[in-house]
Every structure is written in structure tokens, then in C-alpha cells.
Amino acid sequence: MTEVTIANIVGVLDFHRELDLKAVADLLESTDTVSEVNYSPAENHWLQTRFKIDNESKYVAFYRSGTCAIVGCNSIQKLNEISERIIDSMSPVIRESPTLEVKNLVCVGEIKQNLNLERIAIEAGLEQIEYEPEQFPGLIYRAINSQAVYLIFASGKVVITGTSTIDGAEQLFRDLISELSEWGILD
């Protein structure tokens, strides 16, 4: 009941130096591991790319500050694989080893019962809740003393953001289940 799965990871690869985005765009266009390169400085202050991995591609945004954001991986292994591809593609301009940091996980858990979102909203208190069923089918819950944000759906599905480890996400899910139990919402 406390198992969560990773739906998305946001990772940041830091090259420890400023990047010339035009030069990086030219470099990446010449590789076969990048399926798309879009650098339009008049429209965006970043370089948008898609790196191929298996039969998919992952979005990678490069910033002048010397970092790139990687999104779309559903496992740490995939994040590490795409990071290695980025590092290999960037090797002509890398001076020191880049560092990879997981910034956010989006995880999904499932409570094996339907939930009364109106009752959760009342029990949790309006300060921590956003619930407008006409606008969005889920309840947004910001727990006290946590940076976590939960999207809770009547079906029992729960999306958790605001942590950078799977252990953290599992603990957050256990904490939510504990709160729901204390409020008398779970069977």
C-alpha cells in the first residue's frame, strides 16, 4: 500500500562553466544522439534539444549559466544513461566532470479505495487545500511542515511532487496514508 512509482524525474547536469549556446547548438546538431535542436535566442534564453535513448527521446534544455535540465525519465537508470549521452556529446567543450543532481521526482501511488475529496478538504483545512472540482478533478494538498505537493484523486490515485528521492516519496505517501487514517477517511 505504500509503494510509489516514478512517473518523471527532473535532473540538472552542471558543467561548472558558462556555455555559449550557439556553439553548443552547432555541436549537438552534428551528433547522431540528438534528434532535435532548437536555438532561437529572440524567443527563448535557452537551447532546447531532444536526446535519443532507446526508441524515445528526452527533452534537455541547456542554459547559458552552464547547466542543463533533463526531463521525461521514469527511472534513475534512464536519467544516468541520458546524462552519459549528454556528457559524451558535450565532451569537446567540457573542462571538468559535470555533476548530476536530481531536483524533483514526480511519483504515483495508489490507495486501494475511492476517496471522498470533499471530506479530505474539510479535514485537512482550507489553508493546505486547493479543490475546485469544476476546474480540476483532483484535490491539491500541501502538507504542513513539508515541501511536498499531493494531487489526490477520487479513484485513490495520488501524484506526489517535491522530493528528490524515491525513499522520500515513499515516506511522503506513508505520511499521507497515516493522515487519511487519522481523519477516518480510509476503510
Side-chain angles (χ1 to χ4, degrees), residues 34-49:
V34 179
S35 61
E36 186 179 322
V37 176
N38 182 2
Y39 182 54
S40 305
E43 296 174 26
N44 298 314
H45 65 277
W46 63 89
L47 164 64
Q48 301 176 71
T49 65

Side-chain angles (χ1 to χ4, degrees), residues 65-97:
S65 64
T67 61
C68 69
I70 307 162
V71 297
C73 297
N74 60 6
S75 71
I76 298 296
Q77 178 184 341
K78 283 263 193 229
L79 179 65
N80 288 330
E81 286 175 29
I82 201 75
S83 296
E84 287 303 315
R85 286 180 187 231
I86 294 166
I87 292 167
D88 288 346
S89 298
M90 293 286 292
S91 62
V93 296
I94 294 175
R95 293 186 186 150
E96 61 181 273
S97 293

Side-chain angles (χ1 to χ4, degrees), residues 37-132:
V37 176
N38 182 2
Y39 182 54
S40 305
E43 296 174 26
N44 298 314
H45 65 277
W46 63 89
L47 164 64
Q48 301 176 71
T49 65
R50 292 193 84 57
F51 275 75
K52 297 179 210 172
I53 185 162
D54 301 326
N55 294 326
E56 308 172 313
S57 68
K58 302 298 175 201
Y59 178 80
V60 180
F62 288 84
Y63 301 95
R64 189 170 283 111
S65 64
T67 61
C68 69
I70 307 162
V71 297
C73 297
N74 60 6
S75 71
I76 298 296
Q77 178 184 341
K78 283 263 193 229
L79 179 65
N80 288 330
E81 286 175 29
I82 201 75
S83 296
E84 287 303 315
R85 286 180 187 231
I86 294 166
I87 292 167
D88 288 346
S89 298
M90 293 286 292
S91 62
V93 296
I94 294 175
R95 293 186 186 150
E96 61 181 273
S97 293
T99 53
L100 177 63
E101 181 182 1
V102 174
K103 289 291 189 178
N104 188 41
L105 295 179
V106 177
C107 296
V108 177
E110 188 159 352
I111 297 169
K112 305 273 192 248
Q113 73 175 61
N114 290 334
L115 300 173
N116 182 331
L117 299 183
E118 290 85 8
R119 185 158 172 221
I120 294 172
I122 291 166
E123 293 291 341
L126 296 177
E127 306 82 40
Q128 278 72 43
I129 295 292
E130 289 179 46
Y131 182 53
E132 297 182 41

